[in-house]
Amino acid sequence: MPASPSTARAINDRLALRLLQQEGPLTAGQLKQLTGLSRPTVADLVERLTEAALIEVVGETGEQRRGPNARLYGIVADRARLAALDVRTDGVSVVVADLVGRVLAEASVPIGGETGTGPVVEQAVALVERVVKEAEASGAPPHAGVRGWGSLHTVGIGAPGLIDPATGELRDSSGLPAWHRRLAAALQDRFPDAHVSIDNEANLAALAEQRDGAARDRDTFVLLWLSYGTGAAVVLDGALRRGASGGTGEIGFLPVPGTTGLPSATDCDGGFHSLAGSAAITELARLHGVNATTSGEEPSAAALVRAAVEASAGERAPSGSGRFLDELADRLAVGVASVVAILDPGCVVLGGEVGQAGGQELAARVEERVRRMSPLVTEVRPGALGGGAVLRGALLTARDRAQDDLFAPAER
């Protein structure tokens, strides 16, 4: 059946808004060309979206052109504010951005290991409040007649651990700090009008690498998350796969050779994590005499891998750094080959700070080993976004959710 006039208008409006999101500011003529709609239809939707304070004139195109046809229309970025959090065991990072994803303010705080659950949650919430206030100071004034203008609309949180698909909440597993599970509810209490959601860090990193990083040309790939801990995210035919219990990609629990035991339901020691977590990589580097100056801003393993890559460049015979990278590649290949045997993704991205630090040098070593272990052709790539992929993925998720809400047709 043909769409009703109101449904057709809603579809056209969403199409135009998505194009403005993807392409940036466009003229009415460009919208006509990209949408295939008639000139009167485009003129009507531009008028509707302008009256709804969703788009505005942001400039003109071409110095020689003047008049209505030269006006550039863009999404009203200050229509809503978004917050994204990257929650780690020992710290929290926050960014607040506008509706098109432009960062307005950001900050991080370390979390002491001896701090109680309540004080840590309060500390994290206070950080978000402070960054929101900084963002408000830099934003546009409220738009007359538009409810909620500039307010915090959506909060996206990335954290390690299992997300219950039924409730959307972080499950009590793997010995993660209790404050991780309390944070989302505390933020919802503090910002009752905002939509607050939490997702697994590797899943968000995969989204970011697919949109803006190493997997932009792939609709099927696996991201191997290498940071303080380990994880994986599976994207098949463009869709992120979560599994029946939300545990797709919990590769840290994968039983592998080379460890001293087996993982348990509540502890991944003895699994792949024992080979590829930051502590395991740091110990491996020590055994090979690899040293590096580390900082609290990244896992020590990332600095050590980066130092080894730099030291091994151009070597004709393997040194301690080269042997360290070879053995690390052996370990990573065990996990990668296991994933490849089940999923055959064709591409594996080594994500997180460690994957980025290893760069193409480590990725090539892993790919060569996987080629010997599996008949399935698999490209191994270094991640482009490093540890920042979680925050970027949380922000992209928050932006998508906010735009879906704000761009929805008004109820009649």
Side-chain angles (χ1 to χ4, degrees), residues 105 194 200 204 220 225 240 297 327 343 364:
N200 174 266
L204 293 175
T220 294
W225 180 248
L240 182 70
E297 297 181 357
E327 189 167 344
L343 298 174

Side-chain angles (χ1 to χ4, degrees), residues 143-412:
H143 189 281
V146 180
R147 181 178 178 273
W149 178 274
S151 60
L152 191 57
H153 184 283
T154 308
V155 180
I157 306 170
L162 293 168
I163 307 298
D164 189 323
T167 65
E169 297 177 351
L170 189 64
R171 288 172 51 185
D172 182 7
S173 64
S174 306
L176 293 171
W179 66 270
H180 283 195
R181 299 188 300 279
R182 293 266 302 274
L183 182 56
L187 286 170
Q188 190 68 78
D189 288 342
R190 174 58 186 84
F191 301 99
D193 294 331
H195 180 93
V196 180
S197 64
I198 188 167
D199 204 345
N200 174 266
E201 60 182 357
N203 289 343
L204 293 175
L207 170 64
E209 291 285 3
Q210 187 179 36
R211 294 272 195 93
D212 300 329
R216 281 175 291 184
D217 61 334
R218 304 289 308 192
D219 61 0
T220 294
F221 70 100
V222 169
L223 177 123
L224 180 59
W225 180 248
L226 301 169
S227 184
Y228 293 96
T230 58
V234 177
V235 177
L236 301 178
D237 299 324
L240 182 70
R241 306 297 178 174
R242 299 180 181 277
S245 61
T248 296
E250 286 296 320
I251 197 172
F253 288 90
L254 180 72
V256 292
T259 64
T260 58
L262 291 172
S264 70
T266 58
D267 191 347
C268 57
D269 284 346
F272 182 68
H273 173 82
S274 294
L275 294 183
S278 181
I281 295 174
T282 300
E283 175 60 17
L284 181 63
R286 186 191 66 79
L287 293 174
H288 287 283
V290 177
N291 297 294
T293 301
T294 61
S295 68
E297 297 181 357
E298 65 176 1
S300 58
L304 291 163
V305 169
R306 187 180 300 109
V309 169
E310 293 172 354
S312 64
E315 288 182 347
R316 294 186 178 181
S319 64
S321 293
R323 289 190 292 271
F324 162 66
L325 292 174
D326 282 338
E327 189 167 344
L328 176 57
D330 289 340
R331 294 182 176 193
L332 297 181
V334 170
V336 172
S338 299
V339 170
V340 167
I342 301 299
L343 298 174
D344 187 19
C347 178
V348 173
V349 175
L350 304 183
E353 295 92 340
V354 175
Q356 185 182 46
Q360 188 57 43
E361 183 68 27
L362 179 61
R365 279 174 157 88
V366 175
E367 181 176 317
E368 189 271 335
R369 285 157 175 78
V370 173
R371 190 181 302 119
R372 296 200 308 259
M373 298 168 68
S374 171
L376 307 177
V377 178
T378 305
E379 180 184 4
V380 180
R381 302 177 179 179
L385 304 177
V390 177
L391 206 54
R392 179 62 181 161
L395 183 57
L396 287 168
T397 300
R399 188 187 73 179
D400 288 349
R401 187 180 294 274
Q403 289 183 347
D404 282 345
D405 178 43
L406 293 171
F407 295 173
E411 295 184 5
R412 302 295 182 184

Side-chain angles (χ1 to χ4, degrees), residues 13 16-17 20 44-55:
D13 291 353
L17 287 165
L20 290 169
D44 287 344
L45 73 82
V46 166
E47 182 178 0
R48 281 195 303 275
L49 296 175
T50 302
E51 290 179 352
L54 289 173
I55 68 172

Side-chain angles (χ1 to χ4, degrees), residues 83-105:
L85 285 76
D86 181 2
V87 176
R88 305 288 180 102
T89 302
D90 57 355
V92 179
S93 297
V94 179
V95 300
V96 172
D98 60 24
L99 189 57
V100 296
R102 180 173 61 92
V103 174
L104 304 174

